[in-house]
Amino acid sequence: RVPARPPGHVLRLRDEIAPQRDLPEDGGMLAVRAGGEPVAELLAAEPEVRIAAVNGPSDTVLSGPREALSRIGQALRARNVDTRNLPVTHAFHAPQTALMAEALREEPVRATAPAVPVFSTRYGRMLREEPMDGAYWADQAALPVLFDAALGALVAETSPTHLLEIGPRPQLLPLAGRAGHAAALEGLHPAPGPEATGRELAETVAALHRAGLDPVWEALYAPGHRVMVRLRPYVFRSDHHFWDRRPGPAPAPAEQRYPETRSPEPQSPAQPEGTPEHAREPREPGPVLAAVVDAVVEVGGHPRERVLREARFYEDLGFDSVMIMQLKGRVESRLPQVGEVSVQELLPALRSVGTLADFLDDMVMVNAA
């Protein structure tokens, strides 16, 4: 952390260094999708080119004269190694910046210890007693950037949950992902470019708040923006009124509603194997169906005459997941011969009262066999 100085000092320093000690105009930088070893032999033939940054196991940046970088790029592409010229004006992090770095090294900077841990790309680790003075920033400008080592140390020593990139374009988060350090981390970028609307910053704060961060809301929002907003009311469905409990005629006795026997009728031919359940002939009313109806009436509070075989649990009877669990308990207590039925087994049979009764009837027969 560097003490604040008057803006004029920054302008004066820039005016002193830039005109008198210009960087070479023919310098450039080349991004290479490979580690240091594949480019080592090529660098030996081009002594003016140096490694400017080690961003990952397969992300290296070279810096030096543009002609030399062009020759290295052609050789690498011939080996099917991807390269890309960076849009820079000079060869940074290389010997070409030595004059500028020395001018910066001579600047007196009163540096204090960092208030928060700093993982330095100059050293590739967390800063200890090293001051962030003029010499530090001179080396930062002239020596290679050890981004991969610094990020690896940060992840290993602090176990972060999020990585937050501050900058106009997402550059470091993709590097972290390719390096393998951010596989389990959530990357956040609050200002992704000139098209940013400010919503990105709000979504970043929201993501950190959901993760446990307690933002200083007073610093985030100006007093004029702190207003009460009434939430929109819940919109109920109007096509089905599940809460309607209109009185109906008195129910008939159980033995009349679901007789055990009935007049013999001609038997229908057997259903072919594989016939869908909804296409099968409905079964005769029996004790299982009566138990299901009683359980539905008790849980749903519907008039008994409304609980027909074809009544659908969700669309017609308004059942939800809580009511389904209550129904499961009532049915198991009324039909102990069924045994305990898992929710996974029960769900496919919950299309209607009749399909549930048929399913439980089959369970009774299987358990009795």
Side-chain angles (χ1 to χ4, degrees), residues 114-153:
V116 296
V118 173
F119 286 81
S120 168
T121 57
R122 160 67 182 88
Y123 298 108
R125 55 170 172 77
M126 186 172 67
L127 284 180
R128 299 185 179 94
E129 302 298 329
E130 301 87 356
M132 299 178 74
D133 53 11
Y136 174 88
W137 294 110
D139 290 340
Q140 181 75 61
L143 298 180
V145 176
L146 305 179
F147 175 80
D148 181 49
L151 181 59

Side-chain angles (χ1 to χ4, degrees), residues 275-300:
T275 303
E277 291 188 15
H278 62 80
R280 297 178 182 176
E281 292 293 332
R283 303 185 186 183
E284 300 295 335
V288 174
L289 178 60
V292 171
V293 170
D294 290 339
V296 171
V297 170
E298 182 177 345
V299 173

Side-chain angles (χ1 to χ4, degrees), residues 51-265:
I51 293 179
V54 181
N55 293 326
S58 299
D59 276 295
T60 307
V61 178
L62 306 181
S63 181
R66 294 184 185 276
E67 292 185 2
L69 290 176
S70 177
R71 291 191 293 269
I72 292 177
Q74 291 177 1
L76 289 171
R77 288 189 293 273
R79 303 178 186 182
N80 295 322
V81 177
D82 292 335
T83 65
R84 179 172 60 89
N85 291 315
L86 299 184
V88 297
T89 57
H90 298 85
F92 298 104
H93 305 289
Q96 287 84 345
T97 60
L99 292 178
M100 183 273 294
E102 288 305 317
L104 182 59
R105 191 184 305 276
E106 297 170 2
E107 271 297 305
V109 177
R110 297 190 306 273
T112 60
V116 296
V118 173
F119 286 81
S120 168
T121 57
R122 160 67 182 88
Y123 298 108
R125 55 170 172 77
M126 186 172 67
L127 284 180
R128 299 185 179 94
E129 302 298 329
E130 301 87 356
M132 299 178 74
D133 53 11
Y136 174 88
W137 294 110
D139 290 340
Q140 181 75 61
L143 298 180
V145 176
L146 305 179
F147 175 80
D148 181 49
L151 181 59
L154 183 148
V155 173
E157 296 181 30
T158 66
S159 300
T161 59
H162 297 73
L163 289 180
L164 180 65
E165 180 173 357
I166 305 298
R169 288 179 297 174
Q171 295 180 328
L172 302 182
L173 288 176
L175 289 178
R178 293 199 298 269
H181 297 302
L185 307 181
E186 181 178 356
L188 301 174
H189 193 197
E195 293 79 17
T197 62
R199 183 178 179 86
E200 296 85 358
L201 175 60
E203 290 176 347
T204 296
V205 175
L208 295 175
H209 183 51
R210 290 193 300 269
L213 178 70
D214 188 13
V216 181
W217 301 108
E218 294 77 9
L220 186 62
Y221 293 102
H225 294 162
R226 301 175 209 159
V227 295
M228 297 289 292
V229 178
R230 184 178 296 276
L231 295 178
R232 294 179 59 185
Y234 182 83
V235 179
F236 288 90
R237 291 181 59 178
S238 59
D239 51 347
H240 293 288
H241 299 280
F242 301 128
W243 53 88
D244 184 13
R245 298 289 185 267
R246 296 174 181 172
E255 60 271 16
Q256 296 182 14
R257 288 185 288 112
Y258 305 109
E260 294 288 343
T261 59
R262 52 183 287 174
S263 301
E265 296 180 358

